[in-house]
Each structure stands twice: as C-alpha cells, then as structure tokens.
Amino acid sequence: MIKQQRLSAERSRQLTRLLTIANTANIRALMEPSELAKVIALVAIDIGKGGEMAQAFPALWPKVVPHQGYYDIAVDWFTAPDVSVTSFDVVDMLDTGASLDQDFMTYLTCLTELHKRRRKYGLILQQQPLPTMVQVSPRALMEYGPDFPPEALASWLTWRKFFYDIDNRSAQETGYLFEPILAAAIGGEPKSARERVVRRADDPTKGRQVDCWKVLPDGTLLAYELKLRVTIAASGQGRFGEELSFARDCKSSGAKPILVVLDPTENDKLTGLQAAYHEAGGAAYVGDAAWSHLEDEAGATMASFIERYVRVPVASVSSFEKIIEGDTSKRSLILRDLQAKLEGNQLTISLGEHQRRIERHEDQSLATDADDDSEPGEM
C-alpha cells in the first residue's frame, strides 16, 4: 500500500487527539503508533471485522492483533514499542475501519478514551507522592494513645492518606471518562455551561452544563443527566437543589430532560429527582431500565461497547456485595485481607492471595492539599 508522505491537517489533528494520553501541567504522555494500532485492532475484532482488517493488512495485522479481550490484556502488551508500525499505518487502519462500520470511529473514540484514562491512572499510581508528616501529623490527635505507638500511628496516617489520594484521583478520572463515553455511545455530546444550550430559568444569561446533548431527526432536543448513583449525603444538599432545578431549566429552554441513573438503589433524593423530571415533561431511567435505555439509544455496535466495557465490569465487581434479608439498605461484603508493603521504589498491594506490584517514581508536582478534606463529586 502506497503511503502519502505528509498527513493532512485534519488527519494530523485526529491522530494527535487519539495518541495523547495526557497533556496537563503535571502529566504529559503519548501513545506510540503501535499502541494505537493495537486498540484499533481490538475494535475491529469486537465489531466482527477482524477478518476484513487482517485481509487488508496482511503484514501489519500479526504485529497488532490481540489474542484476548481488552480487560484480560496486560498493559505491557500495549506499550511494547514496535517502530515498524507508523502513523501512516494507523491512518490507513482508520480509513479501512471507517469503511467497514459506520460506528467504527465512535467505538474507537470511546475505547481509546477508556484506554487513555486507564494508562493515565497507571502513571498516577506510579507517581503520586506519599503524604508528608506536615500534612497528616495533626490528625494524630484523633488516635494518639495506647492503641498505636507513635511510629505505628505515623505509618497508619500516611498509608490512610495515600490511599485516600489515589482513590480521589481514581474518582476524578472515572468522572472525566464516564459521561463523555456514554454521551458519544448514544449519539450525543457533552455541552459546557458556556455554550448555554440549556439556560437558567432565573437568569437566562447563564447556562447549565449538560452531560449529553442530543438533537433527534425531528428536531426534538434532549438534555441528559448521566449519573452512576444518587446518594443521600447531607453534604450534598446545595448540589441537590441544582440537580432538581436542571429539569425545570431544560423545560424553559425547550429541551426534554432525561435522567439516567445506573445504580438502582432507591432513596428519597432519587424519588424526588425522578418526580422533578416527569413534572418537566421529561423521563427518568434507573437501574436496569437505565442500562436498557442507553443500549437502545446506542444501536447494536455501540450497545455492545456499553455492555462489554462499562456494564460488565461494574456489575462483576458489584456482585460481591450482598443484600441482607431482601432489604436494599442492608448490604454486606466479605473483604479480603489487605497488606501494603513499600520496599525501595516497589509498592506491593496484596488482597488475600492476589498481589499487584507497582514501580514507584514519585512526582512532587502531583502532591496537593487542595482536596484533603473534599469528597469526589457525584457522577
């Protein structure tokens, strides 16, 4: 296949977006073309077009074809460099894939975003600094005494804060990922408050953030609120007022509000939210109905993405929590024994008989006190 010697400006921008893992003040990382080619090959196999791609690229395909599903593949397989795979190969694969399925690029965009967020979080696990005594020693006032001598208490406070930090970062990365990929999968896109597709009823000069904005062929405007769960935490009262008013703001802006909550756990706040959406002429989908709505809106190809990459992992982990005596407010989970060990630059986390090793290279620019006492936002 003859390669052009220069990518068009549009192709260059597309390739840059796909290859960029992170480009922030603290983390900058790019995929190699061979890594992106492997993700493209996964997409082709997922949608049943692996044979066509293998035929189109007989020399390239053996270098990039996966032999397992995405979640079964170690990250080292993706990151192993292969300089023989070039950006021009990637562009040719993109063109071929797009010709095979109309949703190929949407599927690829979603899987690439998932892969990049996972890769970025892997870098965070390697680089997130351990907290300092300046940060955690005041908390000793809560536990200083006979249970832990000072040396043990110092370790306990440090480990506890470190796990909080990396959990907070995980929640942030999940939030950045969750809404955009579901929006793309159902044929919409997120809109910022600045774009003002939905305006505040009490101040039309101000807009509302919309998780997914979608225009139907008949001109109907849909404004989605996509949530993993709705909690009853008292700390979220102000935010809950904003969530209730979103449905009204959508109605006054000429859009139909749609609430999608994946967690089926009922509570008073969720009941109130559903009522607000129905009163505004909208709709609300919770639990299994939410998953079904997303998959119906997505179409066959993207529904398979939602099922394979979002619903199955969430359901698989959630299945270990058991409801007690049929009461959804009472739940139990048998936890594996936890051990954390730091030797030199190697962090080892053991859960029962399972073990994960992380090579550590701290980056002090990732240390911050800004989120010490804040909880990750609801999604």
Side-chain angles (χ1 to χ4, degrees), residues 62-192:
K63 302 176 184 178
V64 299
V65 62
H67 298 289
Q68 295 173 291
Y70 177 79
Y71 288 123
D72 297 317
I73 301 173
V75 69
D76 291 346
W77 179 79
F78 286 102
T79 58
D82 186 339
V83 295
S84 69
V85 181
T86 70
S87 296
F88 296 107
D89 292 320
V90 170
V91 170
D92 289 339
M93 292 181 77
L94 293 176
D95 288 338
T96 301
S99 71
L100 295 174
D101 191 297
Q102 63 180 358
D103 286 329
F104 181 90
M105 287 306 303
T106 302
Y107 197 114
L108 174 65
T109 299
C110 291
L111 182 54
T112 302
E113 284 304 309
L114 171 65
H115 180 67
K116 290 192 292 187
R117 289 291 173 185
R118 287 167 61 89
R119 287 270 277 110
K120 182 182 176 184
Y121 187 64
L123 295 174
I124 290 170
L125 289 177
Q126 293 175 349
Q127 299 174 14
Q128 181 72 35
L130 289 173
T132 64
M133 282 298 107
V134 171
Q135 292 174 292
V136 301
S137 59
R139 302 171 194 189
L141 297 179
M142 297 296 101
E143 298 175 271
Y144 190 85
D147 293 333
F148 280 138
E151 180 183 5
L153 183 56
S155 291
W156 167 236
L157 295 176
T158 301
W159 278 119
R160 191 176 68 188
K161 177 63 166 62
F162 176 69
F163 283 128
Y164 173 87
D165 288 342
I166 60 176
D167 179 69
N168 202 26
R169 297 299 299 272
S170 176
Q172 290 170 355
E173 293 303 319
T174 302
Y176 295 142
L177 169 73
F178 170 72
E179 291 162 5
I181 65 170
L182 288 185
I186 63 176
E189 60 181 354
K191 293 289 186 180
S192 69

Side-chain angles (χ1 to χ4, degrees), residues 221-244:
L221 306 176
L222 304 180
Y224 279 84
E225 177 77 3
L226 303 171
K227 302 178 76 65
L228 285 173
R229 63 193 180 280
V230 173
T231 68
I232 58 174
S235 61
Q237 290 295 339
R239 189 164 57 233
F240 183 62
E242 280 284 281
E243 293 173 351
L244 285 173

Side-chain angles (χ1 to χ4, degrees), residues 3 183 197 376:
K3 307 288 195 302
V197 293

Side-chain angles (χ1 to χ4, degrees), residues 282-297:
Y285 303 93
V286 178
D288 288 340
W291 289 111
S292 295
H293 175 75
L294 291 173
E295 292 179 358
D296 289 344
E297 291 296 309

